[in-house]
Amino acid sequence: MENEERGLLTQRVAETNASGRTARKVIILASLLSLLLVSLSSLFIHREMQNRQRADEMQRTQAEEIADLYNRAPCGYHSINGEGMFLRMNETELSWLGYTREEVLGKMRFFDLLTPESVAVCGEHIRRLKEQGSIQGCEVEMVKKNGDIFSVAVSATAIKDAAGNLAMTRASVFDITERKEAEQVLDRFFTLSLDP
């Protein structure tokens, strides 16, 4: 019986040792798989972060390009609210007028920069803007900070609120002073040539 017990003990010890070796192999294999998964996850996360950084940089670059295009365009751009107060104005228009952004935005209205004759002309155009949603080539005279007057053609688009009321407008402004001066020269020429 003693021999039988020793045999069973030896068999159990061998089985325990085999189970231990199997358990160690499983633990090592599981650890290696975990390490591989962590490494792959880290690589994926790193790659995603790089892609996100590139996308953010591209978005920043595009935003800067759009802002530069807006501010340095060969024409003026501005946005005004429903009461005619300037909300935005690009550098081009500011330089034509001789004002700083701080002097204009939230402090001046579009009509503040027009001659009295142009204010009267704009009334009809604003009515059409409210009704039709846009105007094209409204010719008016603007007054610079130093008092000089120059001619512009304004095209604008209306932005309406949920109730359909005019919330703001976006406008492009083209300096047509040279064209107007040329028209005046031609008018004088034809007037002189037609006089007997």
Side-chain angles (χ1 to χ4, degrees):
M1 209 174 191
E2 208 175 286
N3 283 338
E4 195 177 308
E5 285 295 319
R6 274 192 209 125
L8 285 173
L9 182 62
T10 304
Q11 182 183 357
R12 286 186 193 133
V13 168
E15 287 173 357
T16 302
N17 288 340
S19 289
R21 284 191 298 275
T22 303
R24 279 193 296 274
K25 287 179 186 176
V26 168
I27 289 171
I28 290 170
L29 184 59
S31 296
L32 289 174
L33 282 173
S34 295
L35 184 60
L36 179 64
L37 285 173
V38 167
S39 297
L40 288 174
S41 296
S42 295
L43 181 64
F44 177 75
I45 289 169
H46 179 71
R47 196 170 293 169
E48 280 301 307
M49 286 175 60
Q50 285 180 328
N51 288 341
R52 214 173 255 180
Q53 286 173 342
R54 276 192 290 267
D56 287 347
E57 183 59 33
M58 188 183 304
Q59 188 176 19
R60 263 192 305 279
T61 301
Q62 289 174 344
E64 288 169 2
E65 288 174 3
I66 290 169
D68 184 60
L69 175 63
Y70 176 84
N71 276 310
R72 299 185 198 320
C75 62
Y77 289 117
H78 66 252
S79 298
I80 58 176
N81 65 17
E83 289 78 45
M85 187 73 67
F86 285 103
L87 302 172
R88 294 184 81 193
M89 184 180 286
N90 74 345
E91 290 294 328
T92 303
E93 192 170 354
L94 287 166
S95 68
W96 289 345
L97 293 165
Y99 287 101
T100 64
R101 195 174 307 284
E102 293 75 25
E103 291 174 305
V104 175
L105 301 187
K107 295 180 179 127
M108 296 181 82
R109 290 179 164 54
F110 182 61
F111 288 143
D112 296 338
L113 298 175
L114 299 179
T115 62
E117 298 81 17
S118 293
V119 170
V121 169
C122 276
E124 174 61 26
H125 290 288
I126 289 175
R127 186 189 60 73
R128 274 194 307 129
L129 177 67
K130 288 178 180 180
E131 288 174 5
Q132 299 172 3
S134 67
I135 57 168
Q136 300 295 319
C138 169
E139 294 184 9
V140 294
E141 291 181 323
M142 295 185 83
V143 181
K144 297 180 180 186
K145 184 177 181 178
N146 67 8
D148 290 347
I149 294 172
F150 69 110
S151 298
V152 297
V154 179
S155 296
T157 302
I159 310 296
K160 297 188 177 187
D161 62 17
N165 299 315
L166 181 66
M168 67 180 285
T169 64
R170 293 188 183 129
S172 56
V173 181
F174 296 91
D175 185 345
I176 58 170
T177 304
E178 289 179 10
R179 188 192 88 199
K180 291 302 240 180
E181 289 171 354
E183 287 173 0
Q184 289 173 355
V185 168
L186 286 173
D187 285 346
R188 279 192 298 249
F189 174 76
F190 286 118
T191 303
L192 289 174
S193 64
L194 295 176
D195 281 342

